[in-house]
Each structure stands twice: as C-alpha cells, then as structure tokens.
C-alpha cells in the first residue's frame, strides 16, 4: 500500500513539474544516463520507476549507477531506489554511510580502500567518471559510476516485513531471507544462551561473521561456542565489505582484552574465493592459541548496524585433527588439490599423518599445483609419496617456534621423508612477518601460517616442495644461503651458462658460511676472490665445483659409485676426484685429504642438482695471485720469522 501511494504521488509531482517547467533545455542526470550506452541497463530500470524519475526531476540526489558489465555479472533483480539518496554527495563528501531512497531507507556504507578507492557497500566508484550537474529545478545532483550492482537484504516472500533490521533481527528471521539454503539456527541459539543479543543489536557500524548450521556438523562444536567465541566473530566499529577489505590485515575483534586477544582478517585466493581467519594470539585453557580459517559462503549482506558475512564454520574453535582439517578442506576448499593428490597416492600418506601425535603439514594451495612439471610426477605414485612426505614434519611447529629455531641461522627441520630436511627463514615482525621454506630445491612462501589443529599446525604454502620449477641459476639467485657463490659467479659471467636447460649440471655450492670461514683463514685471498679485478681466479675456482654430464648426480648415487673406487667427475675445469660417504645420516665429501660436510644435499633444479657444502674445494694454488701469497696470515708470520732466523744465523757464521 505504501509503495503504491508513494508511486502515485511521485507520478503526480512529475506531471506537475512537466506542466510548469520552463522551456529552456537544461541537461540533467536523466539526459546523461539516456545518452550513455554503457549505462543503458540501469537507465532502462530507472525509466520504469516513477519515484526515481520524480527524484531526478525535482530534488537534489546522488545516484550510484552500475555499468552494463556489472549487470551482466549480477544474477538478481536490481533495486533502483537502493542506488539513490536524496542528497548530493561528491566523492570527497561521502563519509561513513548515506541513507538510500529504498523503502525503509536502509543505509549504504562508504569505505575507503588502501589505494584511495572509494567503495559503496561492495561496489567501487570509478573515480574518473563521476558527474555533477544541476537539474531544471536548480537542484544539485551527482552521479557516481560503480563496478557492481548494489544488493540490499531481501526476503523470500513479499509478505515478509523488511524493516531495516539489525544483526540480531537478521538472525531471527534468517529462514525467511534470500540466503540460499543456508540456515543460522545453531549459532543464533548459542548467542541467545550466552546472553549476547546486545552485541548484535548495538547501533553503529560493525562487521558480523556468522557461521551457518553446516559448520556445526561436528557434534560437540556448538557446545564450544561461548561468550568469548561469539565476541571473536564481531569486528566492532568497522564495516568491512570484501572488495574493500585489506588483504590479511588483522582487525581487532570484540574478544580483545587482558586475558584473551583475537584478531580477524580477510584474504582472497586466486580462484576468487574469500576467506576469513581468526588469530588467537593470547588464549587461555578453553581458547587455544592459533589460526582458524573459514570460507565466506555468502558475503556482503548489508544490515542496519553494519554488514554480515556468512561463514562455513565458526572461528576460534580448534576441535579437529590435522587429518580432519585436510578432509574438511579437501572437498571444495583451500586445499582441494593437495587432498586429491594425497588420496591418489594411496591411503599410506593420510594414515601416516593420522598416526602422528604431533604433526605440522606444509600444504600447497590449489594454485601451487598448476605447473606442468607436476603432471608426470603425479602419475608416479612412489615419487609422489616421497614428495608428499617432504611436506610432513613430526613436530608441532608454529611460526614462533620456527623463529626460535632460526636464532641467527636458517632453521633446518627433518621431515618424514628420510634424509630430507626443510630450511625455514623468518623475516620481519608482527603483520610484516614473511616465512619461507626450502625443500627439494623449491623455495616456497607461507601464505597462511599457524592454522591450528588439536595435534599440530597447517601452514599453507605457494609451491609444491620437491617439484623443481627453476634452473640452477634461478635457484642461486633466490636462495639466501647461496648468495656469495652467486655473486662471485657474476664477475666473470660464469653464471650465465647455468640457465641452459639442454645441459645437466651437478653443482657443489659452498654456502655463505663456508665463504665466511674462508675469510677468517685467508682474509686477503677471500677479499680478492670477491673483487671484479680478480674474476679470472674466482672463475677457475668455481669451475672445479661444476660437473657437466648427461646426468645430474644425487648424493645417494655418488655414495654407491664411491663403494668401489674414487669417483672421477668431469668438471668444467679438468676433473674432480672425490669419494662420498654417509656418516650418521650425514653425507661427507672426501677430497684432497679433506672432509667436507654436505649441508643440503639434492637441491633439485630443472636442469640439474645443487649440493650445498660446508667448505669450498680450495687448493693451495688457488690462493696465489700474481706472485702474491694467499696463505693464512699466521702462516706468513711463521715464514717471515723463519726467514729472519736463517738470515741472522748466516750473518753470525
């Protein structure tokens, strides 16, 4: 009744306006819309709405106009009046919220992105296309072009009363709203039992994360939803729509006090799915520390006091094992591809994870599997099992523990794959922390760390470990442990050849600490080896470390070859005679009466293998340049003392 009366009144006003309007032609927003073919779909809807037409003819207003492209993506029926407000706002005048002209006057929320973009709910204002005009009545009007259709909260039936409801009212009538097949009864019941209704009724601008009933399929989970957990699902005094959200930027939840501290952040995967995560970094006996992930299954539901996002499971609650987490996220979640590969490899890998009382999994994201080199390996079940086991650690290892292990070194951690170690590196603090992990020649970045389970942690990484994706040169360039060898090779362009994918290299690379030790023993020699003027000598030295053959040798192969005799390997410079032994799980190179530990064996690359060693293959002749001695300073002092003694003796005789 109200809508029909309002429409009739608008039509009458519009008729009066047309009868008494001056003849002078004045362009208004209606004309602008009609003449712009890129906005034709919205104009078509506007023409059919008498209230909207009356507003354009008679009043000041701001109109948010979606492009035709936005309409093509939108599946519902657009509400024209939800795109209008009866006050004129330029971009700089849009603050916090504006009242829409839709029945009940639900608000439109204004947020600012990090790069300066302005958003209306989840739609971005295209900054260069805003227009400000004065209509025939002398009223100021503003048009902003947006990249998404604005979607209000709507009911399944027109008989349902929509009264611009708050978050609590929203949950009470959720069954009558257009939320797909999603229901919220379990969480609503827990909110009522915990007497937290006032949190959802509070006026202002808040973000509410509401778990759907499907997220409580674990029978005991609903009993873990207490007042603190409910607080952890609300971001007070901040409205966050997904398009305007800052990636992985922690926001303080309502569960943030002396005894418990929980932050919430949003992030988007490359497949377009949006996730939210809670991070309990100060917990108690009931609320464990760690990260919990939840997929946003319906986002950006505007309400009277903010915005609601429906999520597939509750945050903060850590009640699943690592195995259950993989299963829950394996069907259509963030780790779908990883779980598929685990199952295709047979039940042994999952059973092995399930049998560990403490475990950490480095789980490649879905996008990490999208490289061609993986296809052939996936078909080889044994090889794939070895690679999967490289992602499993028999320990509870969160970032803080990794940081402690780092302690000025790159942390070396064993995996369930025999003889395979992972090498962690942690940089930065707080929200700026970046964790990388190297395994089997692949350097991966941790995308989501510390996803907590009852028996360990899951870290989501951006690459599959053990599946090389870069050449020997690429590995040298990016690995922080090999930077000195890379730098030395740049002087003589020695490194250039290492990008050749038609060759197979076995490269014994001294790690940075090996060169640091050389600096202590031979300071003058070390200095000159890293000077461009002495590139010829550094090149000769590196050539001894590089084996070129039709085959790249693993350490295991070299051990087998050493059982019968000294191994002769054809290097870039003559040949390298070595024996490789295995002592207490550690590989050792016997060369030139020296024992050199292999710190990281079998770093696989697309055109060869790198073995990271604890000392360079350095001979006495390498430390002489143009007649200048490269002997240790202590040796030079002894030689000078002996020479003086001989001279004195001759003089006395």
């Amino acid at each position: 009744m109200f809508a029909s009366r309002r429409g009739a009144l608008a039509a009458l006003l519009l008729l009066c306006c047309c009868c008494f309007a001056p003849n002078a032609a004045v362009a208004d927003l209606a004309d602008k819309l009609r003449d712009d073919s890129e906005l034709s779909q919205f104009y078509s809807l506007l023409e059919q709405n008498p209230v909207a037409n009356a507003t354009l003819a008679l009043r000041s207003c701001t109109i948010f106009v979606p492009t035709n492209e936005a309409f093509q993506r939108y599946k519902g029926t657009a509400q024209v009046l939800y795109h209008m407000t009866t006050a004129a706002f330029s971009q700089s005048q849009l603050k916090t919220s504006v009242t829409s002209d839709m029945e009940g006057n639900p608000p439109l929320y204004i947020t600012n992105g990090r790069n300066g973009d302005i958003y209306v709910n989840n739609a971005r204002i295209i900054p260069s296309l805003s227009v400000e005009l004065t209509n025939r009545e002398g009223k100021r009007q503003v048009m902003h072009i947006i990249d998404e259709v604005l979607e209000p909260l709507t009911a399944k039936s027109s008989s349902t009363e929509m009264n611009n409801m708050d978050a609590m009212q929203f949950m009470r009538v959720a069954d009558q709203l257009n939320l797909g097949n999603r229901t919220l009864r379990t969480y609503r019941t827990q909110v009522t039992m915990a007497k937290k209704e006032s949190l959802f009724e509070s006026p202002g601008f808040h973000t509410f994360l509401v778990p759907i009933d499907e997220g409580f399929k674990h029978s005991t989970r609903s009993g873990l939803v207490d007042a603190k957990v409910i607080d952890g699902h609300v971001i007070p005094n901040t409205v966050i729509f997904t398009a305007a959200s800052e990636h992985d930027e922690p926001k303080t939840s309502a569960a943030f006090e002396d005894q418990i501290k929980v932050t919430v952040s949003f992030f988007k995967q490359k497949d377009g799915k949006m996730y939210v995560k809670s991070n309990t970094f100060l917990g108690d006996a009931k609320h464990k520390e760690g990260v919990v992930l939840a997929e946003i299954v319906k986002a950006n539901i505007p309400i009277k006091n903010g915005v609601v996002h429906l999520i597939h499971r509750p945050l903060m609650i850590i009640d699943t094992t690592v195995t259950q987490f993989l299963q829950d996220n394996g069907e259509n979640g963030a780790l779908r591809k990883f779980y598929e590969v685990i199952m295709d490899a047979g039940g042994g890998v999952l059973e092995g994870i399930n049998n560990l009382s403490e475990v950490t999994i480095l789980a490649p994201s879905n996008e990490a599997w999208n490289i061609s080199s993986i296809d052939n390996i996936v078909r080889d079940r044994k090889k794939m099992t070895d690679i999967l086991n490289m992602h499993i650690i028999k320990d509870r290892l969160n970032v803080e523990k990794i940081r402690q292990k780092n302690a000025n070194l790159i942390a070396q951690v064993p995996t369930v794959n025999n003889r395979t170690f992972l090498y962690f590196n942690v940089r930065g603090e707080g929200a700026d922390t970046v964790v990388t992990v190297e395994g089997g020649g692949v350097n991966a970045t941790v995308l989501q760390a510390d996803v907590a389970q009852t028996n360990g942690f899951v870290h989501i990484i951006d690459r599959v470990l053990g599946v090389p994706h870069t050449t020997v040169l690429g590995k040298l360039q990016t690995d922080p442990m090999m930077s000195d060898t890379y730098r030395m090779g740049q002087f003589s362009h020695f490194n250039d050849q290492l990008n050749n994918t038609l060759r197979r290299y076995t490269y014994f690379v001294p790690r940075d600490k090996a060169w640091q030790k050389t600096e202590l023993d031979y300071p003058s020699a070390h200095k000159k080896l890293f000077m461009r003027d002495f590139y010829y000598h550094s090149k000769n030295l590196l050539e001894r470390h590089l084996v070129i053959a039709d085959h790249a040798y693993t350490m295991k192969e070299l051990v087998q070859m050493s059982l019968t005799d000294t191994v002769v390997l054809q290097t870039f410079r003559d040949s390298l005679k070595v024996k490789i032994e295995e002592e207490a799980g550690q590989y050792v190179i016997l060369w030139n009466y020296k024992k050199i530990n292999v710190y990281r064996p079998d770093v696989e690359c697309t055109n060869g293998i790198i073995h990271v060693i604890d000392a360079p293959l350095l001979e006495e002749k390498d430390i002489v340049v143009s007649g200048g001695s490269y002997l240790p300073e202590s040796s030079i002092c002894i030689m000078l003392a002996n020479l003086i003694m001989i001279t004195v003796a001759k003089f006395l005789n």
Side-chain angles (χ1 to χ4, degrees):
M1 180 69 72
F2 174 82
S4 60
R5 286 180 179 175
R6 189 180 182 193
L9 179 61
L12 182 61
L13 287 171
L14 184 60
L15 179 62
C16 292
C17 175
C18 292
C19 292
F20 296 103
N23 293 327
V26 179
D28 58 15
L29 287 186
D31 297 328
K32 197 79 175 170
L33 279 166
R34 184 185 61 244
D35 295 339
D36 194 331
S37 61
E38 296 297 321
L39 308 176
S40 59
Q41 287 187 250
F42 184 81
Y43 180 69
S44 176
L45 292 173
L46 186 143
E47 275 190 311
Q48 302 168 41
N49 192 300
V51 176
N53 277 278
T55 298
L56 284 175
L58 302 172
R59 307 178 69 177
S60 290
C61 66
T62 301
I63 183 168
F64 301 99
V65 182
T67 62
N68 288 350
E69 185 180 345
F71 273 99
Q72 290 167 13
R73 294 192 303 269
Y74 186 61
K75 305 301 181 186
T77 302
Q79 303 288 326
V80 172
L81 295 180
Y82 191 57
H83 291 74
M84 300 181 71
T85 181
T86 50
F89 297 103
S90 65
Q91 289 185 36
S92 62
Q93 293 171 323
L94 289 168
K95 308 291 184 185
T96 313
S97 70
V98 297
T99 302
S100 76
D101 212 20
M102 186 176 167
E103 185 176 348
N105 301 118
L108 298 171
Y109 293 101
I110 310 299
T111 52
N112 293 285
R114 177 176 285 181
N115 60 358
D117 285 333
I118 300 173
Y119 291 83
V120 183
N121 288 5
N122 203 51
R124 184 178 71 91
I125 293 176
I126 302 172
S128 60
L129 300 182
S130 294
V131 174
E132 184 173 333
L133 296 171
T134 301
N135 70 359
R136 292 175 176 86
E137 297 297 307
K139 302 295 185 180
R140 178 171 169 255
Q141 298 180 331
V142 180
M143 177 173 69
H144 300 295
I145 311 303
I146 55 177
D147 66 355
E148 200 170 289
V149 176
L150 300 177
E151 183 176 10
L153 180 61
T154 58
K156 294 176 182 177
S157 169
S158 58
S159 62
T160 302
E161 185 177 348
M162 301 292 291
N163 60 349
N164 194 14
M165 57 189 66
D166 60 35
M168 196 65 224
Q169 293 169 323
F170 163 82
M171 288 196 292
R172 288 187 181 121
V173 300
D175 292 352
Q176 303 170 48
L177 303 176
N178 285 317
L179 305 177
N181 297 320
R182 304 172 186 97
T183 54
L184 314 175
R185 299 184 192 114
T186 305
Y187 189 68
R188 181 182 68 224
T189 299
Q190 296 307 121
V191 169
T192 302
M193 288 175 62
K195 301 187 183 332
K196 296 295 292 186
E197 294 97 333
S198 60
L199 178 65
F200 294 82
E201 294 167 346
S202 60
F205 308 96
H206 317 297
T207 300
F208 302 92
L209 303 159
V210 179
I212 61 176
D213 285 342
E214 188 181 348
F216 294 93
K217 60 186 178 183
H218 293 277
S219 58
T220 60
R221 182 171 285 176
S222 62
L224 299 174
V225 179
D226 62 8
K228 295 302 179 190
V229 170
I230 292 169
D231 287 344
H233 286 74
V234 178
I235 303 172
N237 306 314
T238 305
V239 172
I240 301 176
F241 285 82
T242 55
S245 64
E246 298 174 350
H247 178 80
D248 215 7
E249 184 72 23
K251 301 293 183 184
T252 301
S253 76
F256 206 90
E257 54 191 45
D258 291 342
Q259 302 303 318
I260 186 168
K261 297 186 188 297
V262 181
T263 60
V264 176
S265 54
F266 291 74
F267 65 95
K268 186 177 184 178
Q269 289 218 321
K270 290 183 180 178
D271 61 5
K273 288 185 178 180
M274 286 295 303
Y275 289 81
V276 64
K277 72 176 183 184
S278 63
N279 183 9
T280 306
F281 62 89
L282 177 63
D284 54 29
K286 192 172 180 181
H287 308 94
K288 297 179 181 177
E289 295 178 2
V291 170
V292 174
L293 299 183
E295 182 183 348
I296 299 177
V297 294
K298 184 168 180 59
N300 308 316
I301 304 169
I303 52 173
K304 181 180 180 180
N305 57 344
V307 62
V308 170
H309 303 284
L310 302 186
I311 55 179
H312 92 287
R313 59 148 294 160
L315 301 171
M316 285 183 64
I317 295 174
I318 300 169
D319 63 345
T320 56
T321 65
V322 168
T323 302
Q324 290 170 325
F325 174 80
L326 293 175
Q327 290 169 335
D328 290 347
N329 285 270
E331 294 178 5
N332 195 30
L335 303 177
R336 174 179 53 83
K337 287 291 295 180
F338 183 51
Y339 185 70
E340 283 179 7
V341 174
I342 287 175
M343 299 310 293
D344 289 345
V349 174
L350 198 62
E351 183 180 347
I353 295 171
N354 203 36
N355 290 336
L356 294 172
S357 59
E358 294 191 329
V359 60
T360 297
I361 302 291
L362 296 158
S365 67
N366 291 333
E367 293 74 29
W369 297 91
N370 295 333
I371 58 173
S372 58
S373 56
I374 287 179
D375 295 339
N376 292 330
I377 298 173
V378 169
R379 299 187 191 101
D380 185 339
R381 182 172 288 189
K382 184 180 183 306
K383 176 72 171 173
M384 199 66 240
T385 299
D386 288 341
I387 288 173
L388 290 171
N389 284 334
M390 191 182 297
H391 295 75
I392 306 169
I393 300 167
K394 298 180 189 177
D395 193 5
R396 296 174 66 93
L397 206 61
N398 60 7
V399 169
E400 188 55 37
K401 194 169 180 179
I402 293 170
R403 191 188 295 277
Q404 291 168 8
K405 282 178 174 286
N406 241 39
N408 300 322
L409 298 170
I410 293 178
Q412 177 178 286
V413 179
T415 70
V416 298
N417 186 347
N418 291 334
R419 300 195 191 90
T420 301
F421 288 85
L422 301 179
Y423 303 86
F424 287 91
N425 195 23
V426 184
R427 301 189 305 275
E429 296 285 344
D432 296 325
T433 298
V434 177
V435 183
T436 58
V437 55
E438 197 273 346
V442 174
N443 205 59
T445 299
V446 176
L447 301 175
Q448 295 299 331
D450 296 348
V451 183
Q453 312 305 321
T454 56
N455 63 334
F457 292 93
V458 175
H459 305 291
I460 300 176
I461 58 177
D462 66 348
R463 295 194 183 278
V464 181
L465 303 177
V467 181
H469 62 92
T470 187
T471 62
V472 170
L473 176 59
K475 186 62 183 168
L476 283 175
Q477 286 175 319
T478 57
D479 196 299
M481 196 179 285
M482 309 183 205
S483 59
D484 281 351
T485 301
Y486 171 74
R487 184 160 57 93
M488 185 186 292
Q490 287 295 93
F491 297 147
S492 60
H493 300 286
F494 177 82
N495 290 339
D496 295 353
Q497 64 188 310
L498 303 177
N499 225 21
N500 188 343
T501 55
L502 300 178
R503 287 187 167 183
R504 301 293 293 167
Y505 300 104
T506 304
Y507 197 7
F508 297 93
V509 176
R511 64 180 179 135
D512 287 359
K513 283 190 174 294
W515 292 115
Q516 290 167 18
K517 186 176 183 303
T518 303
E519 184 176 15
L520 294 175
D521 293 339
Y522 309 102
S524 299
H526 179 274
K527 180 179 179 181
K528 290 184 178 178
L529 283 172
F530 285 90
M531 292 172 62
R532 190 175 298 277
D533 290 345
F534 294 89
Y535 73 87
Y536 176 77
H537 302 278
S538 58
K539 178 173 178 286
N540 285 345
L541 177 59
L542 292 178
E543 286 174 350
R544 184 181 299 123
H545 293 72
L546 184 65
V547 177
I548 304 172
D550 296 331
H551 176 76
Y553 297 99
T554 65
M555 273 293 146
K556 187 174 181 180
E557 289 172 327
L558 292 172
V559 168
Q560 289 297 315
M561 293 164 62
S562 299
L563 293 177
T564 55
D565 200 358
T566 299
V567 179
V568 180
L569 301 172
Q570 189 62 45
T571 66
F572 199 97
R573 181 186 182 191
D574 301 324
S575 59
L576 179 65
K577 297 178 181 179
V578 294
K579 283 180 75 77
I580 311 296
E581 294 180 352
E582 189 175 357
E583 299 177 357
Q586 177 83 42
Y587 293 111
V588 177
I589 300 172
L590 304 178
W591 172 80
N592 218 16
Y593 305 105
K594 297 178 182 178
K595 276 190 172 185
I596 299 174
N597 289 328
V598 180
Y599 185 77
R600 279 166 62 190
D602 304 329
V603 178
E604 290 191 52
C605 305
T606 53
N607 61 343
I609 293 175
I610 292 173
H611 303 296
V612 182
I613 57 179
D614 268 345
L617 305 174
L618 195 63
E619 293 182 343
E620 290 293 326
K621 61 183 179 181
D622 297 318
I623 54 177
V624 177
V625 177
S626 302
S629 175
Y630 269 24
L631 293 173
E633 311 293 25
S634 58
S635 299
I636 295 173
C637 291
I638 292 169
M639 289 173 62
L640 286 171
N642 289 336
L643 181 59
I644 291 169
M645 288 176 67
I646 292 169
T647 304
V648 170
K650 285 184 176 181
F651 177 78
L652 293 174
N653 288 335

